[in-house]
Amino acid sequence: MALQASFLPSALSARKEGKVACIVKESAFLGSSILEHHKSQFNAPVLRTKRESNHSVGVVKAQTTAVAAPGLNQSTVHGKKVLRKGVVVITGASSGLGLAAAKALAETEKWHVVMACRDFLKAEKAAQSAGMAKENYSIMHLDLASLDSVRQFVHGFRQSGRPLDVLVCNAAIYRPTARTPTYTADGYEMSVGVNHLGHFLLANMLLDDLKKSDYPSRRLIILGSITGNTNTLAGNVPPKAGLGDLRGLAGGLDGRNSSAMIDGGAFDGAKAYKDSKICNMLTMQELHRRFHEDTGITFASLYPGCIATTGLFREHIPLFRLLFPPFQKFVTKGFVSEDESGKRLAQVVGDTSLSKSGVYWSWNKNSASFENQLSEEASDAVKAQKLWEISEKMVGLA
Ligand code: LMG
Ligand code: NDP
Ligand code: PMR
């Protein structure tokens, strides 16, 4: 992973010179009045990739030079308020929920989606096959399994000159059949390293950018899940999530000096994922406690429903992958399509009715959103603070 990360382009973006056609009507997203047929020149940043040979290791190394261009600020045209496109960064937008949300947001023409992905070509193909118009998205490289890559992403994003209005920490891996742990470039167990620690650093670094945004509603969203909440039936399917006293995390989560599991126990790939989701939900609440009042930023988490068809289950046994979707559709009735889940996440990104901070959103069977209750552990403020402090050290912020 370490090698892979350092040799991949740090930031890539498809070149775009888009024109933003705005529409007159009360926007469902943020409810601002937008002017019809007002074509605003939106000079999207052009990130040019300069490939150069790295002779010492004989591989191609990419560098990026960014040409910053100004965004379109809120202004008044013919007496009407014109809201510039919102800029939303979505991690792991190359498949599943992230892609579906990117598509839903891009289709509104009110958002420019920065798809932060580890596989540039996969993301480009995914965006194209989803029918996303070129001016509504760009792709930047981000491998959450490397903290260096996270830092490079932030640097590249800033160089692009775009403002940041919403960050969605969506990417995740799930390794239910793994018998032994694998590790990130920084030596942390992979599921927690990618799903929690990579996002923890990203969120902390990009907080400054969110603070600078002049957009009416700035948001930081982290995906949670029902399976990390032991106050539900799904959360009681073994192995159950549980962080214990965080001794494995405090010990470095490296499987050598300490356990590869947060609670210090024996490695279990499915549990590591569920643990990482508790971390995600605790982090959202800790962000809310630390920063909401001062910054006005909305911090939120959500359970989008059981999207049983996504790539998340790619490592599960074939029988599971075959039976899981009908099981969720007909037995638990918790199934949700990728399209529907994408719309749900898009609501949390931009809908005015979901602007409350510190909330874990869920949807009922009629797809109406509600504020859900987190399990005792996933809402433990003392644990959240301890998790924050240990995580800060692990990602080099403290
Ligand atoms: C653990 O296994 C692993 O040990 C761990 O390593 C990790 O991978 C973890 O969370 C991930 O999973 C847990 C899991 C493995 O075992 C169970 O969940 C045990 C219960 C399995 C029994 C399911 C009974 C469901 C009853 C439904 C009633 C039938 C209605 C039919 C409706 C069909 C609609 C067309 O489990 C698996 O990997 C899957 C094993 C498949 C069991 C086959 C059972 C046959 C029943 C067929 C009905 C379809 C329901 C499939 C349910 C699969 C989803 C769990
Ligand atoms: P997918 O596997 O379809 O999508 C996960 C995305 O994360 C992919 O784009 C993947 O990239 C990316 N990713 C994985 N590892 C890294 C990495 N190291 N760096 C950057 N990106 C990475 O899964 P889902 O769409 O189902 O999951 C999305 C989110 O939704 C997750 O947070 C998950 O926990 C949550 N969720 C999902 C549920 C479900 O039922 N599916 C239910 C509840 C929550 P690549 O395409 O290159 O593999
Ligand atoms: Mg679960 C009762 C409702 C329900 C819901 C909403 C889910 C969601 N699951 C439910 C029930 C059950 N599941 C039951 C009764 C069983 C035993 C048969 C069961 C089993 C099961 C397995 C083996 N479920 C799973 C797995 C997985 O491997 C998935 C997982 O844990 O991924 C971490 C999973 C899931 N069930 C869900 C959801 C949303 C998932 C996966 C996604 C996630 O949490 O991100």
Side-chain angles (χ1 to χ4, degrees), residues 58-76:
V59 295
V60 173
K61 192 175 178 185
Q63 283 191 345
T64 48
T65 47
V67 183
L72 179 70
N73 289 318
Q74 229 170 321
S75 60
T76 307

PDB file of all heavy atoms in Angstrom, residues 58-76:
ATOM      1  N   GLY A  58      12.393   3.368 -11.069  1.00  0.00           N
ATOM      2  CA  GLY A  58      11.942   2.869 -12.353  1.00  0.00           C
ATOM      3  C   GLY A  58      10.431   2.860 -12.534  1.00  0.00           C
ATOM      4  O   GLY A  58       9.903   2.002 -13.216  1.00  0.00           O
ATOM      5  N   VAL A  59       9.751   3.773 -11.886  1.00  0.00           N
ATOM      6  CA  VAL A  59       8.303   3.833 -12.090  1.00  0.00           C
ATOM      7  C   VAL A  59       7.910   5.237 -12.515  1.00  0.00           C
ATOM      8  O   VAL A  59       8.678   6.176 -12.385  1.00  0.00           O
ATOM      9  CB  VAL A  59       7.515   3.484 -10.805  1.00  0.00           C
ATOM     10  CG1 VAL A  59       7.746   2.060 -10.416  1.00  0.00           C
ATOM     11  CG2 VAL A  59       7.841   4.449  -9.706  1.00  0.00           C
ATOM     12  N   VAL A  60       6.728   5.331 -13.009  1.00  0.00           N
ATOM     13  CA  VAL A  60       6.230   6.639 -13.416  1.00  0.00           C
ATOM     14  C   VAL A  60       5.657   7.338 -12.204  1.00  0.00           C
ATOM     15  O   VAL A  60       4.849   6.781 -11.474  1.00  0.00           O
ATOM     16  CB  VAL A  60       5.159   6.470 -14.500  1.00  0.00           C
ATOM     17  CG1 VAL A  60       4.498   7.806 -14.811  1.00  0.00           C
ATOM     18  CG2 VAL A  60       5.800   5.895 -15.748  1.00  0.00           C
ATOM     19  N   LYS A  61       6.097   8.534 -11.978  1.00  0.00           N
ATOM     20  CA  LYS A  61       5.583   9.300 -10.846  1.00  0.00           C
ATOM     21  C   LYS A  61       4.834  10.509 -11.381  1.00  0.00           C
ATOM     22  O   LYS A  61       5.291  11.161 -12.307  1.00  0.00           O
ATOM     23  CB  LYS A  61       6.760   9.742  -9.972  1.00  0.00           C
ATOM     24  CG  LYS A  61       6.310  10.288  -8.645  1.00  0.00           C
ATOM     25  CD  LYS A  61       7.506  10.584  -7.766  1.00  0.00           C
ATOM     26  CE  LYS A  61       7.024  11.181  -6.469  1.00  0.00           C
ATOM     27  NZ  LYS A  61       8.109  11.589  -5.615  1.00  0.00           N
ATOM     28  N   ALA A  62       3.724  10.772 -10.841  1.00  0.00           N
ATOM     29  CA  ALA A  62       2.943  11.897 -11.333  1.00  0.00           C
ATOM     30  C   ALA A  62       3.023  13.080 -10.394  1.00  0.00           C
ATOM     31  O   ALA A  62       3.092  12.924  -9.191  1.00  0.00           O
ATOM     32  CB  ALA A  62       1.485  11.483 -11.489  1.00  0.00           C
ATOM     33  N   GLN A  63       3.069  14.239 -10.972  1.00  0.00           N
ATOM     34  CA  GLN A  63       3.010  15.460 -10.173  1.00  0.00           C
ATOM     35  C   GLN A  63       1.888  16.307 -10.718  1.00  0.00           C
ATOM     36  O   GLN A  63       1.537  16.205 -11.885  1.00  0.00           O
ATOM     37  CB  GLN A  63       4.306  16.250 -10.308  1.00  0.00           C
ATOM     38  CG  GLN A  63       5.413  15.658  -9.487  1.00  0.00           C
ATOM     39  CD  GLN A  63       6.583  16.602  -9.432  1.00  0.00           C
ATOM     40  OE1 GLN A  63       6.673  17.537 -10.207  1.00  0.00           O
ATOM     41  NE2 GLN A  63       7.469  16.348  -8.510  1.00  0.00           N
ATOM     42  N   THR A  64       1.389  17.156  -9.914  1.00  0.00           N
ATOM     43  CA  THR A  64       0.316  17.997 -10.416  1.00  0.00           C
ATOM     44  C   THR A  64       0.669  19.457 -10.249  1.00  0.00           C
ATOM     45  O   THR A  64       1.281  19.859  -9.274  1.00  0.00           O
ATOM     46  CB  THR A  64      -0.992  17.759  -9.650  1.00  0.00           C
ATOM     47  OG1 THR A  64      -0.695  17.790  -8.270  1.00  0.00           O
ATOM     48  CG2 THR A  64      -1.625  16.454 -10.027  1.00  0.00           C
ATOM     49  N   THR A  65       0.314  20.214 -11.256  1.00  0.00           N
ATOM     50  CA  THR A  65       0.398  21.655 -11.112  1.00  0.00           C
ATOM     51  C   THR A  65      -1.019  22.163 -11.243  1.00  0.00           C
ATOM     52  O   THR A  65      -1.736  21.777 -12.155  1.00  0.00           O
ATOM     53  CB  THR A  65       1.272  22.282 -12.213  1.00  0.00           C
ATOM     54  OG1 THR A  65       0.879  21.729 -13.447  1.00  0.00           O
ATOM     55  CG2 THR A  65       2.737  22.054 -11.951  1.00  0.00           C
ATOM     56  N   ALA A  66      -1.391  22.991 -10.332  1.00  0.00           N
ATOM     57  CA  ALA A  66      -2.776  23.435 -10.353  1.00  0.00           C
ATOM     58  C   ALA A  66      -2.871  24.865 -10.840  1.00  0.00           C
ATOM     59  O   ALA A  66      -2.065  25.706 -10.480  1.00  0.00           O
ATOM     60  CB  ALA A  66      -3.374  23.330  -8.965  1.00  0.00           C
ATOM     61  N   VAL A  67      -3.825  25.092 -11.681  1.00  0.00           N
ATOM     62  CA  VAL A  67      -4.096  26.458 -12.117  1.00  0.00           C
ATOM     63  C   VAL A  67      -5.382  26.883 -11.425  1.00  0.00           C
ATOM     64  O   VAL A  67      -6.454  26.384 -11.738  1.00  0.00           O
ATOM     65  CB  VAL A  67      -4.279  26.513 -13.641  1.00  0.00           C
ATOM     66  CG1 VAL A  67      -4.498  27.952 -14.087  1.00  0.00           C
ATOM     67  CG2 VAL A  67      -3.066  25.910 -14.327  1.00  0.00           C
ATOM     68  N   ALA A  68      -5.224  27.740 -10.465  1.00  0.00           N
ATOM     69  CA  ALA A  68      -6.402  28.133  -9.701  1.00  0.00           C
ATOM     70  C   ALA A  68      -7.254  29.106 -10.496  1.00  0.00           C
ATOM     71  O   ALA A  68      -6.753  29.930 -11.241  1.00  0.00           O
ATOM     72  CB  ALA A  68      -5.981  28.769  -8.389  1.00  0.00           C
ATOM     73  N   ALA A  69      -8.517  28.960 -10.342  1.00  0.00           N
ATOM     74  CA  ALA A  69      -9.436  29.887 -10.991  1.00  0.00           C
ATOM     75  C   ALA A  69     -10.491  30.278  -9.978  1.00  0.00           C
ATOM     76  O   ALA A  69     -10.871  29.493  -9.128  1.00  0.00           O
ATOM     77  CB  ALA A  69     -10.083  29.218 -12.185  1.00  0.00           C
ATOM     78  N   PRO A  70     -10.978  31.495 -10.072  1.00  0.00           N
ATOM     79  CA  PRO A  70     -11.941  31.933  -9.074  1.00  0.00           C
ATOM     80  C   PRO A  70     -13.273  31.229  -9.224  1.00  0.00           C
ATOM     81  O   PRO A  70     -13.701  30.923 -10.330  1.00  0.00           O
ATOM     82  CB  PRO A  70     -12.106  33.426  -9.381  1.00  0.00           C
ATOM     83  CG  PRO A  70     -11.687  33.580 -10.800  1.00  0.00           C
ATOM     84  CD  PRO A  70     -10.710  32.513 -11.083  1.00  0.00           C
ATOM     85  N   GLY A  71     -13.931  30.983  -8.123  1.00  0.00           N
ATOM     86  CA  GLY A  71     -15.265  30.411  -8.178  1.00  0.00           C
ATOM     87  C   GLY A  71     -16.258  31.540  -8.377  1.00  0.00           C
ATOM     88  O   GLY A  71     -15.902  32.721  -8.436  1.00  0.00           O
ATOM     89  N   LEU A  72     -17.516  31.201  -8.521  1.00  0.00           N
ATOM     90  CA  LEU A  72     -18.532  32.218  -8.682  1.00  0.00           C
ATOM     91  C   LEU A  72     -19.162  32.489  -7.332  1.00  0.00           C
ATOM     92  O   LEU A  72     -19.757  31.623  -6.731  1.00  0.00           O
ATOM     93  CB  LEU A  72     -19.597  31.719  -9.654  1.00  0.00           C
ATOM     94  CG  LEU A  72     -20.754  32.670  -9.922  1.00  0.00           C
ATOM     95  CD1 LEU A  72     -20.293  33.864 -10.728  1.00  0.00           C
ATOM     96  CD2 LEU A  72     -21.849  31.926 -10.664  1.00  0.00           C
ATOM     97  N   ASN A  73     -19.000  33.673  -6.815  1.00  0.00           N
ATOM     98  CA  ASN A  73     -19.566  33.988  -5.513  1.00  0.00           C
ATOM     99  C   ASN A  73     -21.034  34.346  -5.648  1.00  0.00           C
ATOM    100  O   ASN A  73     -21.537  34.612  -6.721  1.00  0.00           O
ATOM    101  CB  ASN A  73     -18.808  35.141  -4.885  1.00  0.00           C
ATOM    102  CG  ASN A  73     -17.433  34.695  -4.459  1.00  0.00           C
ATOM    103  OD1 ASN A  73     -17.296  33.607  -3.910  1.00  0.00           O
ATOM    104  ND2 ASN A  73     -16.438  35.494  -4.741  1.00  0.00           N
ATOM    105  N   GLN A  74     -21.651  34.390  -4.501  1.00  0.00           N
ATOM    106  CA  GLN A  74     -23.050  34.795  -4.483  1.00  0.00           C
ATOM    107  C   GLN A  74     -23.140  36.245  -4.973  1.00  0.00           C
ATOM    108  O   GLN A  74     -22.366  37.084  -4.552  1.00  0.00           O
ATOM    109  CB  GLN A  74     -23.541  34.734  -3.043  1.00  0.00           C
ATOM    110  CG  GLN A  74     -24.827  33.995  -2.917  1.00  0.00           C
ATOM    111  CD  GLN A  74     -25.162  33.748  -1.475  1.00  0.00           C
ATOM    112  OE1 GLN A  74     -24.298  33.457  -0.668  1.00  0.00           O
ATOM    113  NE2 GLN A  74     -26.420  33.854  -1.134  1.00  0.00           N
ATOM    114  N   SER A  75     -24.016  36.513  -5.863  1.00  0.00           N
ATOM    115  CA  SER A  75     -24.147  37.882  -6.337  1.00  0.00           C
ATOM    116  C   SER A  75     -25.595  38.139  -6.725  1.00  0.00           C
ATOM    117  O   SER A  75     -26.435  37.255  -6.650  1.00  0.00           O
ATOM    118  CB  SER A  75     -23.228  38.118  -7.521  1.00  0.00           C
ATOM    119  OG  SER A  75     -23.591  37.236  -8.555  1.00  0.00           O
ATOM    120  N   THR A  76     -25.828  39.350  -7.152  1.00  0.00           N
ATOM    121  CA  THR A  76     -27.201  39.696  -7.525  1.00  0.00           C
ATOM    122  C   THR A  76     -27.251  40.036  -8.999  1.00  0.00           C
ATOM    123  O   THR A  76     -26.484  40.850  -9.490  1.00  0.00           O
ATOM    124  CB  THR A  76     -27.664  40.899  -6.691  1.00  0.00           C
ATOM    125  OG1 THR A  76     -27.456  40.581  -5.322  1.00  0.00           O
ATOM    126  CG2 THR A  76     -29.137  41.184  -6.910  1.00  0.00           C
TER     127      THR A  76
END
